[in-house]
Amino acid sequence: MTRRYRFHGIGLAVTADDVDLLEAVHGRLRLFEDGGAPGEIAFTYAFPAAEHVLERPPGRSRPVYDAPAGEAAYFPDDDALWLTHGADVRVLCRPSEGRSDVSVLALARSSRWLLSRPLLTLPLLELLERRGLHSLHAAGLAVDGRALLVTGATGAGKSTLALALVRAGFGFMGDDMVFVEARGAGAEPTVRGFPDEVDVTAGTARFFPELSDLEPRPGWPKGQLRADERYGADVVLEARPGALLLCRVADAETSELHPLSADEALLELAPNVLLTDPASSQAHLDALGALVAASDCFRLETGRDLDAVPGLLRS
């Protein structure tokens, strides 16, 4: 079975025999569904009974991501990205060919979360990178056609801030990932939305009484919600750069906003670049540089006044 999407002009096909897995992937890509889209990018999931159908590429490699339960390595001679999770899951992504193949020995409930989230995201980012869409790990909101991008380390409160802003009427571009499309030297880039399902921890849900009913699916570590359905948020797929916020949680009653230089901001964003193909990695860094140059940059110390933050940031 195959489901087809058009992701900001790029055709994407996902093929799997497992209906629940296809639905889990569809939860992320549903707003881009297009049954007639040609498969410029193809994700294929295979579930052999006893042995893997994918082998680790030969030759030299370098790690590109700290995979806690496996390997995430790039093979420059083959231009291949290789991912594993334990002994049961292997992923071979060939960016120049537009393919990501996945081999799974055993499919448990928890596997569907892995296959539709982390083990889909990394190959997707690399495949889109080669086609001019450069990823940024950030929550994306929008006001009057301008993007407000909230970034920071894991645990910095991006999703909590995104929900606080969406429920206050901000447009929704994504809670964890957006893309930057550069338009050439000196031109202002475009921010492209990825309005994925929002992953909500129990800690985040406690800030919002209306989320008391939110429970994770069986085998999933967090609850999920759709911002457009839960809050009636306007989904925004394209915006001009506006403001870039590097956030962190402060042990304070009141949130504070401090200006940040473009150089400081770019230094913080540099880890978004996967060190794979040198040309595409340089293009990614250039796109982030253009984004920073076109944005007002701040550091946000988020206090316990979440209801006041939308007013602070709207201006």
Side-chain angles (χ1 to χ4, degrees), residues 3-242:
R3 298 190 82 152
R4 297 183 182 278
Y5 306 88
R6 188 175 299 280
F7 192 91
H8 296 297
I10 299 171
L12 194 159
V14 182
T15 300
D17 290 334
D18 185 83
V19 174
D20 291 336
L21 174 58
L22 275 179
E23 281 301 312
V25 174
H26 183 68
R28 306 190 67 189
L29 297 170
R30 64 192 175 91
L31 295 176
F32 298 98
E33 188 168 26
D34 181 349
E40 184 178 344
I41 291 174
F43 284 82
T44 303
Y45 294 87
F47 305 110
E51 60 183 17
H52 280 296
V53 296
L54 300 173
E55 295 296 332
R56 189 178 190 273
R60 59 196 178 101
S61 67
R62 58 174 175 269
V64 296
Y65 182 76
D66 184 16
E71 182 181 15
Y74 176 68
F75 290 76
D77 295 340
D78 274 9
D79 189 23
L81 188 63
W82 172 254
L83 312 175
T84 63
H85 183 83
D88 291 333
V89 182
R90 296 178 178 180
V91 182
L92 180 60
C93 173
R94 296 193 178 277
S96 59
E97 298 176 14
R99 294 194 55 82
S100 182
D101 295 291
V102 186
S103 170
V104 186
L105 292 186
L107 187 63
R109 281 178 166 176
S110 59
S111 298
R112 294 186 179 92
W113 177 81
L114 287 166
L115 295 172
S116 64
R117 263 61 186 173
L119 295 178
L120 169 73
T121 299
L122 204 61
L124 178 63
L125 300 190
E126 186 65 17
L127 288 163
L128 294 174
E129 170 94 349
R130 303 298 181 91
R131 289 151 183 84
L133 290 178
H134 308 287
S135 61
L136 175 62
H137 183 206
L141 296 308
V143 179
D144 297 331
R146 302 287 256 186
L148 172 66
L149 305 177
V150 183
T151 187
T154 300
K158 295 186 295 298
S159 292
T160 303
L161 275 171
L163 288 178
L165 296 171
V166 163
R167 71 203 292 266
F170 283 63
F172 181 67
M173 301 190 77
D175 94 299
D176 189 61
M177 188 73 62
V178 295
F179 291 85
V180 182
E181 184 175 15
R183 296 180 178 275
E188 183 179 75
T190 300
V191 181
R192 304 286 184 187
F194 187 9
D196 198 349
E197 292 176 315
V198 181
D199 289 330
V200 182
T201 65
T204 291
R206 283 194 290 270
F207 286 104
F208 308 107
E210 71 274 11
L211 300 185
S212 60
D213 63 330
L214 197 64
E215 295 287 341
R217 304 177 214 177
W220 292 53
K222 300 178 184 179
Q224 282 79 39
L225 65 82
R226 294 171 176 171
D228 54 322
E229 296 178 357
R230 177 69 73 136
Y231 292 110
D234 291 332
V235 171
V236 178
L237 296 180
E238 176 181 332
R240 297 174 60 197

